[in-house]
Amino acid sequence: MLHESIKCELIEFGGEDNHVHMIVAVRPTIAVASLVGKLKGKSSYMIRREFWDCVKTMHWGNHFWSPSYCVVSCGGASLDVVKKYIESQNAPPNERSLRASLAANKRKSRLLLARPAHE
């Protein structure tokens, strides 16, 4: 799907209940903040127009989307690897990754507790 006004292409889309993931091909002359603003603005308009009864209680203050966003470059990862990551966002974590995450959080907590307090 090509968006003519900003010359970008939506390659992949996925997400969860409270956020979305997208792979978007865009020219380097387009500012990321401008792209995100247009995507959020147009999608908010379209979602409100089509699904108002379902979304009228799902606002961030007076806004449909949170004002924040995260943009990550995928470096040398192949498009297939990034697509699989996005597609997997609706799947619950497997037990191995859940254990690894819990262990990492436990280590982080111990490090924070071991630091001396600053005056």
Side-chain angles (χ1 to χ4, degrees):
M1 173 175 96
L2 181 66
H3 192 287
E4 293 299 326
S5 72
I6 50 178
K7 304 264 193 262
C8 70
E9 183 179 1
L10 179 63
I11 297 171
E12 189 67 37
F13 176 87
E16 297 180 14
D17 293 343
N18 63 355
H19 67 279
V20 296
H21 295 264
M22 296 183 289
I23 299 176
V24 179
V26 63
R27 297 180 329 203
T29 58
I30 303 297
V32 172
S34 175
L35 173 68
V36 171
K38 289 178 189 234
L39 289 171
K40 284 184 169 189
K42 187 66 170 183
S43 62
S44 175
Y45 170 78
M46 293 172 73
I47 290 168
R48 289 174 197 230
R49 187 183 66 202
E50 294 288 323
F51 306 103
W52 178 247
D53 288 339
C54 297
V55 300
K56 62 184 170 189
T57 60
M58 300 177 186
H59 286 90
W60 189 276
N62 290 328
H63 306 283
F64 183 74
W65 296 114
S66 160
S68 62
Y69 62 91
C70 174
V71 175
V72 180
S73 76
C74 54
S78 71
L79 192 54
D80 286 336
V81 168
V82 178
K83 281 183 176 182
K84 285 178 185 171
Y85 169 77
I86 290 173
E87 289 168 355
S88 74
Q89 292 303 294
N90 281 330
N94 62 35
E95 191 167 332
R96 181 178 177 206
S97 64
L98 186 57
R99 281 196 309 267
S101 179
L102 290 172
N105 284 334
K106 192 180 236 183
R107 283 191 302 274
K108 188 187 289 183
S109 295
R110 275 192 246 130
L111 287 172
L112 290 173
L113 290 173
R115 288 184 180 168
H118 296 296
E119 293 183 39

